[in-house]
Amino acid sequence: MTVNKMRFAPSPTGNLHIGNARTLILNYIFAKSIGGGLVLRIDDTDQERSEERFYNSIIKDIDWLNIDLLDIKKQSEKTEKYKQVRDQLIIQGKLYPCFESDEELNKIRKLNLSRGRPPIYDRASLKLSSKQIEEYKSKGVKPYWRYKLDHENIAWKDLIRGDQSIDCSTFSDPVLIRTDGTFLYTLPSVVDDIDMSISHVLRGEDHVSNTATQIQLFKALNAKIPNFGHHSLMVQKDGSRMSKRSGSMSLGEIRDKGIEAITLINYCARIGTSDAIEAYQNIDDLIYNYDLTKISRSPARFSFDDLTLLNKKILQNKSFSSVREQLTKLVLDKNIDENFWNSIRANINSVSESKKWWDIIYGDIDCKTDKDNADFLSLAYNILPHEPWDENTWSSWTKNISEKTGRKGKELYLPLRIALTGENSGPELASFLLLIGIDKVSKRLKINIK
Ligand code: GLU
């Protein structure tokens, strides 16, 4: 039995974005580092905004990241359980019906503020007599339900922030149930955490005050309180808020831009921590000894450029076996081999760029005569070594050309590169030459012979 169990709890009201990905990855890595596992909990109590397509895309993203789950649970399937707990809390006198309209609440708030009092709900509905409550009901006013907070200090040792203490008398009693009877996130989350025996809750620091309320709920329900951790949120590199416009990207967009799953994992595990971001090929290297206390209290600054650079580093050392499937789909050729991958992997930002180099090697390039270098390239053609070729062919051939022409460096290599690949930069030609092969190399040089 898994003792340490964590959960990732997105609402299927949109696609997962980079901030969600960080929460997911931190949860997964930490759960694994303590010998536990992760449950996916779909927070779909808001049926109006929840959509199946977002659920599907969450599953797709988690699959892509290669994150294994202990279980998947949907809150929409647990309404009966929440209702039982609701009734229990009503009996305990912890949940009370409220009848004020938004307008009335706003008025009270303003009045409080103008008198220099904190805008805290005054529990007016708690003081209603049963007769007054009946009157509201007979007028067809439907209640919403607030949780009667104990006015006490709630303290916990946060997995990231250390000792925390929140004075609950500074909050309004939170609304747990809407007038239409649907549940807000607060209570179902606690019920599920209890039901699933969640041992550690790790989430964004926007939930810190929820935690105080939820700890009171765990206590009221006589349940074991999980360990809580709250990570700082993500901002743009310049410190501004993440938003769709300023580049808060969905995981789908990140994937489509050619970022590898392992790149995103490395990035999210270490961004905003006191450790450097590494380019590990295997998530186990991150899991071993993962230390949440290294996550900084200040926001994590996201930069897509940094992510791209990390992706390049990851690709440089990525094994052929780990990309073989992707490459085969890309170039539609099952005979793709390791030499191809090894020769280009240092020169691509994403695996999809391999296609360009594949076409240069195995397809036709737009060969043009290079007037300025026609004699030079004709000579190169004439002294092209006979087969068999090996990894020394390039250096012995170019050495020979250099001796005959006196050219060195760029003057020697660039015209050859352009003639052979049609590009003025790219992979090392020593191995590339072998892949292009003698027939194509001859053909590409020959057009320069007058
Ligand atoms: N659905 C909540 C959210 O996405 C979950 C928060 C939690 O982890 O408890 O913010």
Side-chain angles (χ1 to χ4, degrees):
M1 202 186 97
T2 311
V3 179
N4 286 322
K5 216 198 247 182
M6 299 182 68
R7 84 295 196 280
F8 173 58
S11 301
T13 52
N15 293 312
L16 294 186
H17 53 72
I18 177 77
N20 303 127
R22 179 161 170 251
T23 306
L24 165 64
I25 289 164
L26 290 177
N27 266 282
Y28 184 68
I29 290 180
F30 184 64
K32 290 281 173 180
S33 78
I34 53 176
L38 188 67
V39 174
L40 172 65
R41 188 185 83 201
I42 300 293
D43 283 6
D44 55 354
T45 51
D46 184 347
Q47 282 289 294
E48 242 160 59
R49 291 176 57 229
S50 299
E51 290 184 45
E52 188 70 12
R53 67 187 167 115
F54 293 131
Y55 168 76
N56 292 333
S57 101
I58 291 169
I59 299 287
K60 185 173 171 188
D61 290 341
I62 293 178
D63 265 2
W64 172 64
L65 288 168
N66 214 359
I67 282 180
D68 54 291
L69 298 170
L70 297 173
D71 204 353
I72 302 176
K73 289 275 185 236
K74 285 187 176 178
Q75 291 194 321
S76 56
E77 288 162 6
K78 295 196 58 189
T79 315
E80 280 318 305
K81 175 79 204 191
Y82 306 144
K83 285 184 178 165
Q84 274 172 27
V85 177
R86 171 198 66 192
D87 295 344
Q88 180 187 335
L89 290 172
I90 292 174
I91 292 168
Q92 283 175 240
K94 289 285 183 189
L95 260 184
Y96 61 97
C98 297
F99 296 90
E100 295 91 345
S101 63
D102 284 347
E103 233 170 42
E104 284 168 312
L105 287 175
N106 261 337
K107 239 194 227 162
I108 301 169
R109 247 174 60 90
K110 278 192 191 139
L111 196 72
N112 273 333
L113 283 172
S114 70
R115 289 183 182 158
R117 289 199 220 121
I120 297 173
Y121 177 62
D122 61 2
R123 293 184 167 170
S125 279
L126 190 59
K127 292 159 204 149
L128 294 175
S129 65
S130 15
K131 199 171 152 230
Q132 285 169 308
I133 292 180
E134 281 318 309
E135 266 169 31
Y136 270 118
K137 284 191 180 162
S138 64
K139 280 190 224 149
V141 184
K142 291 225 164 71
Y144 54 93
W145 297 76
R146 286 189 192 262
Y147 183 73
K148 188 172 167 241
L149 285 174
D150 286 326
H151 286 167
E152 61 178 357
N153 247 19
I154 291 289
W156 73 92
K157 192 163 179 61
D158 196 279
L159 298 164
I160 296 173
R161 299 156 63 98
D163 286 327
Q164 301 289 296
S165 169
I166 291 194
D167 176 3
C168 289
S169 66
T170 59
F171 301 160
S172 294
D173 287 340
V175 176
L176 298 193
I177 302 170
R178 303 182 183 91
T179 44
D180 64 1
T182 57
F183 292 86
L184 280 107
Y185 143 85
T186 320
L187 178 63
S189 177
V190 171
V191 173
D192 290 339
D193 287 342
I194 297 170
D195 267 10
M196 296 192 291
S197 309
I198 296 300
S199 58
H200 297 73
V201 172
L202 183 58
R203 54 191 181 183
E205 65 184 11
D206 47 338
H207 285 288
V208 166
S209 49
N210 281 338
T211 296
T213 302
Q214 290 182 326
I215 288 180
Q216 288 209 5
L217 279 164
F218 279 101
K219 288 206 233 167
L221 298 171
N222 222 350
K224 187 162 186 278
I225 301 165
N227 296 292
F228 281 95
H230 298 87
H231 61 75
S232 59
L233 301 182
M234 223 178 220
V235 294
Q236 298 292 325
K237 192 150 196 168
D238 64 5
S240 60
R241 266 193 68 223
M242 298 291 273
S243 71
K244 222 167 165 54
R245 264 170 81 208
S246 63
S248 174
M249 306 173 86
S250 72
L251 261 66
E253 284 167 307
I254 288 175
R255 182 167 57 236
D256 290 347
K257 288 205 184 302
I259 301 296
E260 295 295 306
I262 191 69
T263 307
L264 193 66
I265 289 172
N266 275 290
Y267 188 77
C268 287
R270 292 279 177 88
I271 185 180
T273 74
S274 52
D275 279 332
I277 298 178
E278 301 288 344
Y280 294 125
Q281 297 292 331
N282 195 320
I283 192 168
D284 291 343
D285 293 325
L286 288 160
I287 289 170
Y288 179 70
N289 265 347
Y290 194 78
D291 184 354
L292 282 178
T293 62
K294 290 191 173 174
I295 298 178
S296 158
R297 288 288 296 268
S298 36
R301 290 169 183 257
F302 173 72
S303 150
F304 188 72
D305 292 343
D306 294 350
L307 190 61
T308 308
L309 274 178
L310 184 65
N311 204 46
K312 206 167 156 53
K313 258 185 165 173
I314 290 276
L315 291 174
Q316 274 166 19
N317 291 309
K318 207 158 172 55
S319 69
F320 176 60
S321 61
S322 67
V323 285
R324 182 184 203 134
E325 220 184 291
Q326 247 175 304
L327 285 175
T328 309
K329 272 194 206 139
L330 196 69
V331 303
L332 299 171
D333 191 326
K334 285 203 189 73
N335 298 323
I336 193 150
D337 75 353
E338 185 156 5
N339 292 333
F340 167 72
W341 174 245
N342 291 347
S343 74
I344 62 149
R345 64 183 176 175
N347 289 84
I348 50 176
N349 290 312
S350 67
V351 173
S352 60
E353 285 178 19
S354 312
K355 174 83 168 95
K356 166 180 149 183
W357 297 111
W358 176 267
D359 290 343
I360 287 173
I361 295 172
Y362 300 106
D364 287 323
I365 60 166
D366 186 15
C367 294
K368 288 192 197 85
T369 23
D370 176 353
K371 283 199 197 89
D372 297 340
N373 293 295
D375 291 342
F376 168 78
L377 293 168
S378 304
L379 172 112
Y381 169 72
N382 286 328
I383 60 171
L384 192 63
H386 295 292
E387 282 186 307
W389 283 5
D390 60 28
E391 33 319 324
N392 298 318
T393 304
W394 169 255
S395 64
S396 57
W397 179 42
T398 49
K399 189 164 168 248
N400 200 358
I401 302 171
S402 173
E403 276 163 12
K404 297 227 158 35
T405 61
R407 290 199 190 197
K408 282 196 208 89
K410 199 170 163 191
E411 233 198 337
L412 169 68
Y413 296 115
L414 189 60
L416 287 171
R417 176 177 289 286
I418 294 174
L420 299 181
T421 68
E423 298 286 324
N424 47 26
S425 65
E428 286 215 20
L429 283 166
S431 54
F432 219 60
L433 188 78
L434 302 180
L435 294 169
I436 300 176
I438 194 160
D439 291 346
K440 279 203 166 119
V441 169
S442 306
K443 195 174 146 209
R444 290 174 188 181
L445 292 170
K446 231 197 269 179
I447 62 157
N448 287 288
I449 296 179
K450 285 172 215 148

